[in-house]
Amino acid sequence: MSEITWEAPFCGEGNNCFRIGTDASGNAYIAVAGHEDTPLTDTHDALRALILEIKAGKADHLL
C-alpha cells in the first residue's frame, strides 16, 4: 500500500474527528482520527463525488 498523506482532522462539537487522506496511486481514505490504520478506502473520484453530494445537501437528513 502507498503511503497515505492525511489532512488535518475535522472535528464537530463533541464528536469524533475524521481525517481524509490520499495516496500517490489515486486512492482516497476516510478514517476516525487515531484509527488511521483502519480507513474506508475508495478512488479519489469517489471521494470527490461523496463530498460534492454532501455539499449539495444530500446527507442533510442525517443531521
Side-chain angles (χ1 to χ4, degrees):
M1 176 161 64
S2 300
E3 179 149 346
I4 301 169
T5 302
W6 292 103
E7 299 290 328
F10 172 79
C11 303
E13 284 185 35
N15 294 318
N16 289 327
C17 299
F18 293 93
R19 297 189 76 182
I20 295 175
T22 56
D23 67 18
S25 299
N27 298 307
Y29 303 84
I30 301 174
V32 174
H35 298 279
E36 289 86 353
D37 55 333
T38 56
L40 169 71
T41 184
D42 207 326
T43 65
H44 191 265
D45 288 339
L47 176 62
R48 178 179 295 129
L50 173 66
I51 292 170
L52 290 173
E53 294 293 321
I54 290 170
K55 288 176 73 173
K58 296 206 175 172
D60 286 356
H61 65 283
L62 300 172
L63 302 175

